[in-house]
Amino acid sequence: MPHRKKDITPVDAAGQRLPLGPESAVLCRARDYAAGTVIPLHHHPDRHQLVYAASGVLVVQAGTGRWVVPSTRAIWMPAGIGHKVSCIGAVRMRSLYILPQAIADAPPSAATVSITPLLAELIGAAAIVEQPYVPDSRDGHLMQLILDELQALPVLPLHVPEPVDPRLQQIAQHWDAAPDDASTLQDWAVRLGVDAKTIQRLCARELHMTFGQWRQQIRLVRALERLAHGEKVIDVALSQGYASPSAFTAMFKKRFGQLPSQFFQ
């Protein structure tokens, strides 16, 4: 059988409407990016997007936070949400664009999800489907199976929410510069001139987590970014304030069920 040419049309960085027929519930775009590529802030006003790194690692920033997206994972980006994408290393990006009415109970906010081997193969096949496709055809059935798989993907804890309150922003900015800082909640209360309970209330209201959970999540995501750059586990662990590589590894395995050395394989 003749092979169809792969669609490598770039994602519209200006957020313009995709030129699709009304029957195209799903479209897959394939694009390879060099290390260090940054896709500027943009949005897709009328389609959800699944941003998948077939290889390489992406860092996605949106209005609600920052996500790390290694291979075998993807980020779900609801229609209309502005986002910026940075490539750590060379990246083979495969993006699905989905009509909102085509998928029931879609996540209302951005989230990192795990990509099953089946869905990875389906996305690869979808990249060579000619548009527009006929719904009651092999291509149409392929796309419907993708929609079915999307509704069963587990959400992963690879997100750091960004605070709005200036006091929490001050803490976040400090942790960005000094992630190994061991200042306690009480230390920060004194530094900011507020009661410790005030900081806890702000964390619960804005971030939906405790002060300790927030610090651990920031360290975890920053550690993932450094591991993606190929840094050694011992160097990453110490840079994030862990007493030893074993302490970092134990936390990592508890969160992901894998060792740091296995995560990007």
Side-chain angles (χ1 to χ4, degrees), residues 43-137:
H43 72 286
H44 307 285
D46 55 358
R47 285 185 177 257
H48 301 314
Q49 182 183 10
L50 185 80
V51 185
Y52 169 53
S55 64
V57 180
L58 301 171
V59 175
V60 180
Q61 292 174 278
T64 53
R66 178 186 181 100
W67 292 259
V68 175
V69 188
S71 58
T72 73
R73 280 82 175 174
I75 186 167
W76 173 263
M77 189 64 62
I81 294 182
H83 54 285
K84 172 185 175 182
V85 182
S86 303
C87 300
I88 298 180
V91 171
R92 294 171 55 237
M93 185 189 295
R94 305 296 180 259
S95 291
L96 296 176
Y97 299 91
I98 303 138
L99 288 176
Q101 61 267 32
I103 183 168
D105 301 321
S109 58
T112 307
V113 296
S114 182
I115 298 297
T116 63
L118 172 59
L119 184 55
E121 292 296 326
L122 292 173
I123 292 173
I128 59 172
V129 168
E130 294 178 351
Q131 296 287 337
Y133 58 82
V134 177
D136 190 15
S137 67

Side-chain angles (χ1 to χ4, degrees), residues 114-219:
S114 182
I115 298 297
T116 63
L118 172 59
L119 184 55
E121 292 296 326
L122 292 173
I123 292 173
I128 59 172
V129 168
E130 294 178 351
Q131 296 287 337
Y133 58 82
V134 177
D136 190 15
S137 67
R138 179 185 179 279
D139 288 343
H141 296 157
L142 167 68
M143 296 306 201
Q144 183 57 52
L145 184 53
I146 286 176
L147 291 173
D148 293 340
E149 286 295 301
L150 288 176
Q151 296 183 75
L153 297 180
V155 175
L156 300 173
L158 299 178
H159 168 228
V160 174
E162 295 184 353
V164 175
D165 187 274
R167 290 162 292 187
L168 294 188
Q169 288 179 344
Q170 183 176 334
I171 297 174
Q173 290 166 2
H174 178 79
W175 282 339
D176 269 339
D180 58 342
D181 179 41
S183 297
T184 66
L185 173 62
Q186 188 58 47
D187 291 334
W188 275 106
V190 172
R191 193 176 303 175
L192 296 173
V194 298
D195 188 84
K197 292 182 178 179
T198 298
I199 298 177
Q200 286 285 35
R201 283 195 297 268
L202 289 170
C203 288
R205 186 180 68 200
E206 293 195 12
L207 310 174
H208 306 292
M209 57 182 69
T210 67
F211 176 86
Q213 290 169 337
W214 180 35
R215 176 165 56 188
Q216 185 182 72
Q217 189 67 7
I218 287 178
R219 287 177 170 177

Side-chain angles (χ1 to χ4, degrees), residues 226-227 229-239 248:
R226 298 183 68 141
L227 289 170
H229 278 290
E231 296 187 31
K232 295 180 180 179
V233 172
I234 184 172
D235 295 333
V236 172
L238 297 178
S239 73
F248 171 71

